[in-house]
């Protein structure tokens, strides 16, 4: 099979989705944060995403498990366990799913459909990390479990402890959150090169 024959629309789409998923998710989170900039719950969720990303980077360094051999062909030499993409996707999709489930006044069928779309999109993008050879199934599974667990715990901390005090916390200012988000995003992006 020649180079032209292997270059199908499907393969182009898969490669594009895989290469841009990190930036697309970051862009969506930034847009969401700017849209909901006066909402402490949204800012808390995004802060959790940054903490989840930092946890992933720390675990990669501690576990130090190699990526599959195919990843070296793509200049991916950093450790692969857990998959940062899978962990971030799992955190964001699980947190979003919890929030969508709590929307009042929304048709239950629409709520279920939205949650299914969010989770299936995240699962597909995480699976691309395996099919493109960047991670093993175990690396993606561990990242997904850690990310989902982090979302559930972070959401519980918000509802059980932080939410009732959020209005009185001076560090909940818009400027402070934006500075934290930008600094955290830049630090995580720098680490993932």
């Amino acid at each position: 099979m020649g180079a032209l024959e292997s270059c199908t629309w499907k393969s182009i789409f898969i490669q594009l989705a895989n290469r841009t998923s990190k930036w697309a998710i970051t862009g969506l989170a930034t847009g969401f944060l700017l849209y909901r900039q006066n909402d402490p719950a949204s800012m808390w969720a995004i802060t959790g995403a940054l903490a989840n990303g930092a946890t992933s980077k720390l675990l990669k360094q501690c576990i130090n498990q190699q990526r599959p051999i195919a990843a070296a062909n793509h200049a991916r030499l950093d450790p692969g366990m857990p998959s940062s993409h899978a962990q971030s996707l799992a955190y964001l999709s699980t947190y979003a799913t919890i929030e969508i489930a709590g929307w009042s006044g929304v048709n239950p069928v629409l709520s279920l459909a939205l949650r299914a779309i969010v989770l299936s999109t995240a699962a597909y993008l995480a699976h691309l990390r395996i099919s493109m050879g960047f991670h093993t199934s175990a690396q993606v599974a561990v990242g997904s479990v850690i990310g989902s667990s982090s979302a559930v715990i972070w959401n519980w901390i918000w509802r059980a402890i932080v939410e009732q005090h959020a209005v009185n916390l001076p560090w909940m200012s818009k400027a402070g959150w934006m500075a934290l988000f930008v600094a955290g995003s830049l630090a995580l992006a720098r680490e993932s090169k």
Side-chain angles (χ1 to χ4, degrees):
M1 182 183 296
L4 284 177
E5 293 170 355
S6 66
C7 187
T8 65
W9 286 109
K10 181 179 177 184
S11 68
I12 291 170
F13 172 77
I14 289 172
Q15 289 178 18
L16 183 63
N18 192 49
R19 287 184 185 159
T20 61
S21 63
K22 175 174 63 172
W23 299 111
I25 298 299
T26 301
L28 284 171
T30 302
F32 180 76
L33 186 58
L34 290 171
Y35 175 71
R36 301 286 303 261
Q37 59 187 321
N38 293 321
D39 180 21
S42 298
M43 294 181 185
W44 177 259
I46 297 297
T47 303
L50 292 172
N52 180 63
T55 301
S56 176
K57 299 301 179 190
L58 179 66
L59 287 173
K60 275 184 182 274
Q61 297 309 312
C62 291
I63 298 170
N64 199 25
Q65 184 184 77
Q66 290 183 338
R67 292 173 179 263
I69 303 267
N73 297 335
H74 299 282
R76 295 285 184 174
L77 303 174
D78 63 320
M81 175 67 89
S83 165
S84 297
H85 276 78
Q87 189 169 331
S88 294
L89 288 165
Y91 174 88
L92 291 168
S93 63
T94 301
Y95 207 100
T97 300
I98 293 169
E99 291 301 310
I100 292 168
W103 288 351
S104 59
V106 175
N107 180 314
V109 174
L110 177 60
S111 174
L112 183 61
L114 286 172
R115 289 181 280 155
I117 290 168
V118 167
L119 291 174
S120 60
T121 301
Y124 174 74
L125 291 173
H127 174 70
L128 283 179
R129 304 303 291 172
I130 300 167
S131 66
M132 298 293 290
F134 292 125
H135 291 286
T136 64
S137 297
Q139 292 168 345
V140 168
V142 169
S144 297
V145 169
I146 293 170
S148 293
S149 301
S150 296
V152 170
I153 292 166
W154 198 256
N155 190 278
W156 178 85
I157 291 170
W158 169 258
R159 294 184 188 284
I161 301 167
V162 178
E163 183 176 29
Q164 59 193 345
H165 305 291
V167 178
N168 300 324
L169 296 174
W171 49 269
M172 294 291 251
S173 72
K174 180 176 22 174
W177 280 103
M178 291 304 288
L180 176 68
F181 178 72
V182 169
S185 295
L186 290 173
L188 290 174
R190 188 180 57 114
E191 286 293 318
S192 60
K193 284 185 179 176

